[in-house]
Amino acid sequence: EAGVVQSPRYKIIEKKQPVAFWCNPISGHNTLYWYLQNLGQGPELLIRYENEEAVDDSQLPKDRFSAERLKGVDSTLKIQPAELGDSAVYLCASSLDGGKHTEAFFGQGTRLTVV
Amino acid sequence: RKEVEQDPGPFNVPEGATVAFNCTYSNSASQSFFWYRQDCRKEPKLLMSVYSSGNEDGRFTAQLNRASQYISLLIRDSKLSDSATYLCVVIGAGNTPLVFGKGTRLSVIA
């Protein structure tokens, strides 16, 4: 069974440019998360979807970040314009549902470098 | 105070040693607890859930102390392959997402 698939794996862009990340969760998983991870830190939640509804986006910097999950399956995360401080690994995860004991599976992440 | 706090380490231990990590959480209403493992430049993966009664999986033992609001992970007979970062994860009350600690780095040395 395919796991969570993210693309691209790596992205280098100049500051002020836009960038987009794509995530395909495990088939049948209703809950999708986008996390940001800086070096030496744990993942920090950006946004969580239950099907196509964003149920937790309080940590998403909405002035430059946007996300969507059309049809409750694939999701994209966009940054426009990118800043130097956005350099990090962007992790997508999915779980069967948002239940308390449901394991979250992570994709390999997109490593973003803003120069 | 951070919602989930861990000692970042690194913990450098010889093969065969026993090592323990602690994690504290601030929300007393938290309901679910996990340990995830993350290898260098890889994604986090679930190591084990943590139950109130404590649970064991081979060389790994996880315990929860609700009164003191901490979770522990004990690794016995450490192997070189145990070298990784161990992330403490907490789910709060209600419909809340997974909250990660910063992680504790373990290096097992031959």
Side-chain angles (χ1 to χ4, degrees), chain B residues 35-55:
Chain B
W35 285 101
Y36 274 67
R37 171 190 169 135
Q38 187 172 26
D39 292 299
C40 188
R41 301 179 80 85
K42 299 285 190 181
E43 71 274 23
K45 292 183 180 178
L46 179 67
L47 177 67
M48 58 197 303
S49 301
V50 186
Y51 302 118
S52 296
S53 55
N55 48 301

Side-chain angles (χ1 to χ4, degrees), chain A residues 9-10 33 35 37 40-43 45 48 50 55-56 91 98-109 111, chain B residues 31-32 34 36 38 41-46 49 51 87 91-103:
Chain A
R9 287 291 311 280
Y10 304 92
Y33 312 80
Y35 281 88
Q37 186 172 28
Q41 304 292 314
L45 182 73
R48 177 170 60 117
E50 296 291 347
V55 297
D56 193 336
L91 292 162
K100 299 304 178 189
H101 300 286
T102 305
E103 178 179 357
F105 295 84
F106 283 81
Q108 291 184 300
R111 185 175 298 273
Chain B
Q31 297 190 11
S32 300
F34 309 89
Y36 274 67
Q38 187 172 26
R41 301 179 80 85
K42 299 285 190 181
E43 71 274 23
K45 292 183 180 178
L46 179 67
S49 301
Y51 302 118
L87 296 158
I91 298 181
N95 187 16
T96 54
L98 292 82
V99 178
F100 286 78
K102 286 187 175 183

Side-chain angles (χ1 to χ4, degrees), chain A:
Chain A
E1 180 187 334
V4 177
V5 179
Q6 291 187 244
S7 68
R9 287 291 311 280
Y10 304 92
K11 189 74 177 179
I12 301 174
I13 61 169
E14 293 184 344
K15 62 182 180 182
K16 301 185 182 179
Q17 294 301 305
V19 65
F21 315 128
W22 175 80
C23 173
N24 181 240
I26 293 173
S27 177
H29 280 196
N30 296 323
T31 304
L32 183 146
Y33 312 80
W34 282 102
Y35 281 88
L36 175 154
Q37 186 172 28
N38 286 301
L39 189 64
Q41 304 292 314
E44 298 172 30
L45 182 73
L46 289 172
I47 190 167
R48 177 170 60 117
Y49 284 94
E50 296 291 347
N51 298 301
E52 64 273 12
E53 182 184 358
V55 297
D56 193 336
D57 63 355
S58 58
Q59 302 301 312
L60 190 73
K62 297 182 183 64
D63 56 336
R64 296 184 302 108
F65 286 65
S66 64
E68 61 182 11
R69 190 184 184 197
L70 299 175
K71 301 181 182 178
V73 183
D74 293 4
S75 178
T76 55
L77 177 69
K78 297 178 182 178
I79 309 175
Q80 182 170 12
E83 297 179 351
L84 294 176
D86 296 332
S87 296
V89 176
Y90 291 82
L91 292 162
C92 178
S94 71
S95 63
L96 201 57
D97 57 41
K100 299 304 178 189
H101 300 286
T102 305
E103 178 179 357
F105 295 84
F106 283 81
Q108 291 184 300
T110 296
R111 185 175 298 273
L112 174 67
T113 302
V114 183
V115 297

